[in-house]
Amino acid sequence: MRVNEKYSTLPAEDRSVHIINICAIEDIGYLPSEGTLLNSLSVDPDAKCRYGLYFRDGRRKVDYILVYHHKRPSGSRTLARRVQHSDTPFGARSLKQDHPLPGKGTPLDAGSAEPPVDYHEDDKRFRREEYEGNLLEAGLELERDEDTKIHGVGFVKIHAPWNVLCREAEFLKLKMPTKKMYHINETRGLLKKISSVLQKITDPIQPKVADHRPQTMKILSYPFSREKQHLFDLSDKDSFFDSKTRSTIVYEILKRTTCTKAKYSMGITSLLANGVYAAAYPLHDGDYEGENVEFNDRKLLYEEWARYGVFYKYQPIDLVRKYFGEKIGLYFAWLGVYTQMLIPASVVGIIVFLYGCATMDENIPSMEMCDQRYNITMCPLCDKTCSYWKMSSACATARASHLFDNPATVFFSVFMALWAATFMEHWKRKQMRLNYHWDLTGFEEEEEAVKDHPRAEYEARVLEKSLKKESKNKEKRRHIPEDSTNKWKQRVKTAMAGVKLTDKVKLTWRDRFPAYLTNMVSIIFMIAVTFAIVLGVIIYRISMAAALAMNSSPSVRSNIRVTVTATAVIINLVVIILLDEVYGCIARWLTKIEVPKTEKSFEERLIFKAFLLKFVNSYTPIFYVAFFKGRFVGRPGDYVYIFHSFRMEECAPGGCLMELCIQLSIIMLGKQLIQNNLFEIGIPKMKKFIRYLRLKQQSPAHHEESVKRRQRYEVDYNLEPFAGLTPEYMEMIIQFGFVTLFVASFPLAPLFALLNNIIEIRLDAKKFVTELRRPVAVRAKDIGIWYNILRGIGKLAVIINAFVISFTSDFIPRLVYLYMYSKDGTMHGFVNHTLSSFNVSDFQNGTAPNDPLDLGYEVRICRYKDYREPPWSENKYDISKDFWAVLAARLAFVIVFQNLVMFMSDFVDWVIPDIPKDISQQIHKEKVLMVELFMREEQDKQQLLDTWMEKERQKDEAPCNHHNPKACPDSLGSPAPSHAYHGGVL
């Protein structure tokens, strides 16, 4: 057993103590005698380690933390476990020994009861010992700390030394900066002047971080190689690999390193899933607020990015990437680009809305509806309890509909379709710039290799299958007599298989078929639940309208439509928010039972299920109002009923577009305000408060002291674990759907999305900096499957907006009337043209109004919104020719609009190149410079070799004289051979 010679805090007389004995005291719980060991461990322990950021020696930085739960026997004192495993590979495994420290304690009294043996905890401890021993063999350095302020929680600090960092950086092909720098091609002429002016204008809104200005020089990067270390600037080895890179390297080692037990190979993901370790995470760089806080990247991010007071500033994306990694950096870069692109969309939406306001008094159809002189009597909105009503009573709704149903709406729909295409192209170009600046070009191979590690659940399922297969084989061998030769072969096969039996077993579609069937049935059932809820809300609207129509108050009866619509939308909003949370959990569960092999596969399947369910949940009520409400009503005397008593809803005389606007605006704003902001602010605050109360209960007497003196890894352990970017992307994708899918009915949607995103960026930033543990940095070139979802929504938006304009609004009927039926080329008479007549004597029995004289006169003919033949016609109440003319125009508009906008979007896609020209030139320049660098290096090597050989040759050919007899040739006249010297160089 080697001795931990670097344990310098021990006094000289105690330095011969083996780590094995120290561990034995801790495991058994012997009472230590008063000696120098405890004192040496407790003399200002945090002076050098900077409260947990470094090892106890104050030199080695903590790159990663493993957390585990441990149980101590009650009523006994234990030795503080701050044991280093950095020098001996037996440090972790020595914990299995149980020998007391000689002369340093006495065993517990013989009469005292022994603590019960917890085999489950012992199994976890043995797994940890083996795993940590394997980490030591991999080259990592470990230090244990169980004397923490958190009761029953131990920490293993991990440090990667220089040789391990170099080895893993070469293995992962990490691009690191070389000594070579080159000039970036600068813009010239007019573009240079414009960029300089823009730079001066935007300087106040730039974050106060280094390198926020455009750089004229760039450092050439190259995949790290230990053979070519001379190419890299290694003047400061401590900062050559930053904290993000160091934690990534350690995490790759943790994933690759395994411990074996019961023929099962367990990596860090399996150990975490099985509770052997409670958590694993890299440390934050330090505190982010306080007067005496040492300056660090986390504090800089908090001051220049994560505070609401800097909402007007650009994001320090490069610093975000440096601290959190490329994957998170790309998310915030995408969110920033999306928010910027919402600015022109918001401006155009406001202009469209103001155009509607300005032309409201000039809209002839709404003026005719409000004109009392027309005296149009409308048919009842429900059977028996509802009476006849005047069209002029819907004046306010008709005027408000013009705000969102005017010719500018069509222009705005086309604009938003082109905006979506431009946004996608702009993001692709921005993504390429970031890939260039972050040295991610040519990254595909490494990305697949890193993400191909099997998940813990997959490994466990494979183990279960392999054990079942092995047990079946044993049962077969019992019934089949085997000779000695077969037994010998079986033993050899088992020995060769070792602990990797699971490598030969894979999950097939037969194993996953029950999960696939469960997924299909569950998704269909949940979609059916969503439709059933929408149907329930429809029944509520119908019954509530009938109930309010029976009210004696005129004010209540005059506001029936607004009251019913508002209350129904609020019910829809509450149900959507609740089901969103439920569907998110169900989607995760359905993905888990599929047991995907890799994290990438798990993430993609989860995203697909969650998006499908949340898409249906969020947009089904809106789809109903846009395309189904008022379409299947029937006519007076022959209405369509559900459940034999509820009559289908009708649209208002001004159309359903106004109601669609109300539905969309309330759901969109409600989701953003409640779900995206309130939940994201309130739930973390509540969880933090609960953790505070638990900590106070665990140590009420020393709570204040523990808060002040907690180590960095203890503080980070109390933060929320990072759960991935799926929830963040999902809420933005759903919002993107609200902005693009039904924008024809709500031009102000981009404005409200912009206001929400300004808050959302700082909210997410604050959550990442202050509320979450630091996530492991993950390299990524793009936003993955989310880009395809965005493109799909953009294509779908064109189709939906075409149908909204054509079938939901009155834009097409107005055009048809204007060019086919108008006598004077104006819209006068349009309202009368869209209304059909009904003879009240044709009502079905029991459906006529109970109070036919409610308006003060007897009604014989009432009007309803439809294109049908009048009651005095031969084919009364049949669909008229006008209906088919309008329908043909609507379908023609859908076809023309869809193809025209699709063509324009594809044209924008074709015109704007995916890779900016300057970036492609810089990438080519980097390749040329790299080739020149290596060619020059080879030339220098060859020149140095030629010079050395020339010197050797001149030395061999030197003239023989008495002063230098050794330089003379031998007796045969041949010089000494020189190839032996050359062999050491070549």
Side-chain angles (χ1 to χ4, degrees), residues 348-349 352 404 406-420 657 739-747 794 797-806 809 893 897 901 905:
V348 177
V352 170
F404 310 102
N406 55 69
T409 304
V410 181
F411 160 76
F412 190 57
S413 299
V414 176
F415 171 82
M416 288 303 295
L418 298 179
W419 173 88
L657 199 67
V739 169
T740 55
L741 292 179
F742 298 95
V743 74
S745 64
F746 190 39
V798 178
I799 301 172
I800 291 179
N801 279 298
F803 277 94
V804 167
I805 295 171
S806 182
S809 75
F893 176 83
F897 181 89
V901 175
S905 299

Side-chain angles (χ1 to χ4, degrees), residues 33 85 91 158 182 282 347 374 383 489 508 518 542 548-549 594 622 718 773 823 843 857 925 978:
S33 60
H85 302 314
I158 302 177
Y182 66 96
V347 172
Y374 281 90
D383 294 340
K489 287 182 179 180
T508 62
T518 305
I542 296 171
L548 292 177
E594 284 185 3
I622 302 174
N718 286 324
R773 294 175 192 162
K823 297 179 180 179
F843 271 123
Y857 56 88
K925 185 177 181 179
S978 60

Side-chain angles (χ1 to χ4, degrees), residues 465-481:
K465 183 179 178 180
S466 63
L467 293 178
K468 287 181 179 179
K469 189 175 181 180
E470 188 178 2
S471 64
K472 288 181 180 180
N473 293 334
K474 286 182 179 179
E475 289 292 332
K476 291 180 180 179
R477 289 195 296 268
R478 285 180 182 177
H479 302 289
I480 300 175

Side-chain angles (χ1 to χ4, degrees), residues 1-22 36-37 101-102 104:
M1 177 67 68
R2 290 182 56 192
V3 178
N4 193 345
E5 299 172 354
K6 291 188 178 181
Y7 207 93
S8 56
T9 55
L10 291 172
E13 61 271 16
D14 287 338
R15 286 182 185 171
S16 61
V17 177
H18 290 73
I19 299 298
I20 177 175
N21 294 326
I22 297 177
T36 56
L37 184 60
L101 182 63
K104 288 293 182 181

Side-chain angles (χ1 to χ4, degrees), residues 61 196 238 254 404 427 476 580 660 785 857 870 967 969:
K61 186 176 178 62
S196 62
D238 293 335
L254 292 176
F404 310 102
W427 167 243
K476 291 180 180 179
D580 260 358
L660 177 62
I785 192 176
Y857 56 88

Side-chain angles (χ1 to χ4, degrees), residues 164-182:
V164 174
L165 294 172
C166 294
R167 181 191 71 203
E168 296 297 322
E170 182 175 356
F171 174 72
L172 295 173
K173 299 180 181 179
L174 296 179
K175 282 190 175 183
M176 304 302 294
T178 64
K179 298 177 183 178
K180 176 70 175 177
M181 298 183 67
Y182 66 96

Side-chain angles (χ1 to χ4, degrees), residues 495-783:
M496 291 176 65
V499 296
K500 300 296 287 182
L501 287 177
T502 57
D503 289 350
K504 299 181 180 180
V505 181
K506 296 181 180 179
L507 296 183
T508 62
W509 70 270
R510 295 179 183 271
D511 300 316
R512 292 193 172 102
F513 180 74
Y516 291 154
L517 184 61
T518 305
N519 269 261
M520 185 176 64
V521 173
S522 300
I523 290 175
I524 293 174
F525 173 75
M526 286 182 286
I527 292 176
V529 167
T530 303
F531 289 162
I533 291 173
V534 172
L535 180 61
V537 175
I538 293 171
I539 296 174
Y540 161 81
R541 295 162 66 112
I542 296 171
S543 58
M544 182 60 68
L548 292 177
M550 298 171 61
N551 197 293
S552 59
S553 173
S555 59
V556 172
R557 283 184 294 174
S558 61
N559 296 316
I560 289 177
R561 196 178 296 275
V562 176
T563 305
V564 171
T565 301
T567 55
V569 172
I570 292 173
I571 294 173
N572 274 326
L573 174 62
V574 173
V575 171
I576 286 172
I577 292 175
L578 294 178
L579 287 184
D580 260 358
E581 303 301 321
V582 174
Y583 286 169
C585 297
I586 292 177
R588 181 169 291 274
W589 175 73
L590 291 175
T591 310
K592 283 183 178 179
I593 64 175
E594 284 185 3
V595 198
K597 183 176 181 180
T598 61
E599 285 295 337
K600 181 180 180 182
S601 176
F602 179 87
E603 185 179 10
E604 289 181 350
R605 295 185 184 197
L606 173 62
I607 289 170
F608 173 75
K609 294 181 185 64
F611 175 73
L612 176 63
L613 293 175
K614 294 190 176 185
F615 182 91
V616 173
N617 182 43
S618 298
Y619 299 125
T620 300
I622 302 174
F623 270 98
Y624 163 73
V625 175
F627 303 121
F628 297 98
K629 185 179 179 182
R631 300 285 180 267
F632 311 100
V633 177
R635 61 171 179 81
D638 189 20
Y639 283 115
V640 177
Y641 293 89
I642 54 175
F643 303 126
H644 303 287
S645 57
F646 294 103
R647 210 173 88 187
M648 293 297 292
E649 289 184 285
E650 297 181 42
C651 288
C656 281
L657 199 67
M658 183 61 192
E659 189 168 341
L660 177 62
C661 172
I662 296 173
Q663 185 102 6
L664 179 64
S665 59
I666 292 180
I667 291 178
M668 178 182 175
L669 296 178
K671 276 180 64 68
Q672 291 183 166
L673 181 64
I674 298 173
Q675 194 173 28
N676 298 358
N677 294 332
L678 239 125
F679 282 6
E680 289 193 21
I681 295 174
I683 291 178
K685 295 284 186 185
M686 185 174 63
K687 289 182 178 180
K688 190 174 182 180
F689 182 69
I690 292 173
R691 289 194 299 269
Y692 171 82
L693 293 179
R694 287 179 179 174
L695 183 63
K696 192 173 183 179
Q697 290 175 357
Q698 290 176 1
S699 179
H702 306 285
H703 174 65
E704 295 298 329
E705 181 182 358
S706 66
V707 171
K708 293 179 182 178
R709 303 195 61 182
R710 279 187 298 171
Q711 304 291 312
R712 177 78 263 152
Y713 44 84
E714 296 177 82
V715 176
D716 286 2
Y717 177 65
N718 286 324
L719 298 176
E720 282 292 306
F722 175 64
L725 289 170
T726 301
E728 315 300 334
Y729 273 114
M730 188 65 71
E731 63 184 64
M732 289 295 104
I733 296 297
I734 296 296
Q735 183 204 82
F736 182 79
F738 283 121
V739 169
T740 55
L741 292 179
F742 298 95
V743 74
S745 64
F746 190 39
L748 296 180
L751 175 63
F752 290 111
L754 173 64
L755 297 177
N756 174 79
N757 288 5
I758 292 173
I759 302 173
E760 182 72 23
I761 290 175
R762 307 304 162 179
L763 186 64
D764 286 346
K766 189 172 183 179
K767 181 170 65 175
F768 273 84
V769 173
T770 65
E771 301 289 344
L772 298 179
R773 294 175 192 162
R774 187 174 183 179
V776 179
V778 178
R779 290 184 295 171
K781 285 189 67 174
D782 50 43
I783 60 176

